[in-house]
Amino acid sequence: MHKDRKLLIAGNWKMNKTVAEGLDLVQGLRRELAGVKEVDIVVCPPYTALSEVSKIIMDSNLRLGAQNMSEQAPGAYTGEIAAAMLKEFSVRYVILGHSERRQFQKESSELIAKKALAAHAASLKPIVCIGETLEEREKGVTEQILEQQLRGSLAGLSKEQMAETVVAYEPVWAIGTGKTATTQQAQDAHAFIRKVLVSLFDDAVAKRVRIQYGGSVKPANARELMSQPDVDGALVGGASLEVRSFTDIIKNSI
Ligand code: PGA
């Protein structure tokens, strides 16, 4: 058992996998990961595969997550998906404010906070993503950026809601680049994030929040990253698209 917090390892499939491909992947994961109890395992397929994936993982130790949702209740919002619609497929988690959405869809921390509140109102657990760019790290403003993003994206959450929220630290320069933060860089950022959570909420809440690391997590670096005292899991992109690599990340983390 890892620290006081159970590890949470989530696969973010991003805009990948048809329904048939997704089913293949999840059938393999279900088989390979049966019996793993030490880690909470989540798969986050695209919206189009949620329904079918949800049927396959029912009665398994895999849980379902979505990659985004609207901050609005159902209504006239063309192209959007409401929390209530995710609930229909037994979705438990929702990734919010991924850096790709902050970059390409121009999502602000303010919007992400609204989404986090809407997720909680529907009893979905948000995975709120934050992280600095390479330019920000080189300028030495990483901590300021993380604090700003935390303050903005978690605004309005109660202590109870925060305790049920996951934070994913994903340095933008490490996403899909093959460059992983060193274990020390990851631990330092996670410890800083926990310190900010103490000041925004309180010590007890900060101790409960799981902080995932994301950015080029692979079977080869998972064990060392997950062994850090403030690293409570991983948000995995590329390596979550194959049964072997995602399974090995989880098995190497136990
Ligand atoms: P990566 O992506 O594992 O492919 O670097 C991580 C993420 O963006 O969640």
Side-chain angles (χ1 to χ4, degrees):
M1 183 55 98
H2 183 271
K3 306 147 219 173
D4 301 333
R5 298 170 294 270
K6 191 172 178 188
L7 283 180
L8 173 65
I9 300 185
N12 172 12
W13 298 3
K14 308 192 179 182
M15 197 172 71
N16 293 292
K17 305 288 182 191
T18 61
V19 173
E21 290 165 350
L23 288 183
D24 257 9
L25 171 56
V26 96
Q27 267 152 353
L29 293 175
R30 188 185 164 138
R31 192 180 55 238
E32 295 294 321
L33 294 167
V36 173
K37 293 189 183 67
E38 299 87 340
V39 180
D40 285 334
I41 307 165
V42 181
V43 289
C44 304
Y47 291 136
T48 45
L50 286 175
S51 168
E52 292 300 314
V53 167
S54 133
K55 292 177 199 160
I56 301 291
I57 65 177
M58 205 184 282
D59 308 322
S60 81
N61 55 341
L62 306 180
R63 297 284 170 265
L64 196 56
Q67 298 175 20
N68 177 40
M69 56 170 259
S70 170
E71 76 284 12
Q72 301 289 348
Y77 300 98
T78 303
E80 293 293 291
I81 302 281
M85 297 166 175
L86 300 178
K87 293 288 288 183
E88 207 180 354
F89 304 121
S90 308
V91 169
R92 311 269 188 104
Y93 295 86
V94 58
I95 300 170
L96 297 178
H98 189 279
S99 63
E100 286 151 14
R101 297 199 61 84
R102 289 183 189 260
Q103 184 185 350
F104 303 126
Q105 274 76 32
K106 305 280 175 264
E107 288 197 1
S108 64
S109 291
E110 194 187 353
L111 175 67
I112 293 155
K114 288 188 186 148
K115 292 187 178 198
L117 284 167
H120 279 296
S123 302
L124 292 171
K125 291 185 204 302
I127 299 177
V128 173
C129 303
I130 58 167
E132 82 286 0
T133 62
L134 184 58
E135 196 190 348
E136 289 159 346
R137 178 161 282 268
E138 284 172 349
K139 271 203 233 147
V141 294
T142 297
E143 293 193 345
Q144 269 157 265
I145 295 295
L146 297 181
E147 182 163 358
Q148 262 171 28
Q149 290 181 343
L150 285 168
R151 228 173 243 290
S153 314
L154 304 173
L157 292 185
S158 67
K159 287 182 186 177
E160 291 70 27
Q161 288 171 328
M162 188 62 226
E164 296 298 321
T165 300
V166 178
V167 174
Y169 168 61
E170 300 205 302
V172 178
W173 47 272
I175 296 179
T177 57
K179 282 188 208 161
T180 323
T182 63
T183 36
Q184 195 57 51
Q185 284 171 327
Q187 168 54 28
D188 289 350
H190 284 228
F192 176 75
I193 290 166
R194 210 175 296 285
K195 203 173 85 185
V196 174
L197 293 176
V198 173
S199 73
L200 294 178
F201 298 90
D202 66 26
D203 200 46
V205 169
K207 279 207 177 87
R208 282 187 57 191
V209 173
R210 291 186 284 187
I211 307 175
Q212 296 178 310
Y213 171 79
S216 301
V217 175
K218 298 179 202 68
N221 58 27
R223 189 187 306 275
E224 208 188 323
L225 283 162
M226 296 308 116
S227 67
Q228 298 302 304
D230 287 292
V231 178
D232 311 311
L235 185 53
V236 185
S240 74
L241 298 174
E242 303 279 342
V243 175
R244 187 74 273 140
S245 46
F246 194 55
T247 299
D248 285 350
I249 286 173
I250 290 163
K251 295 204 166 159
N252 291 351
S253 301
I254 299 173

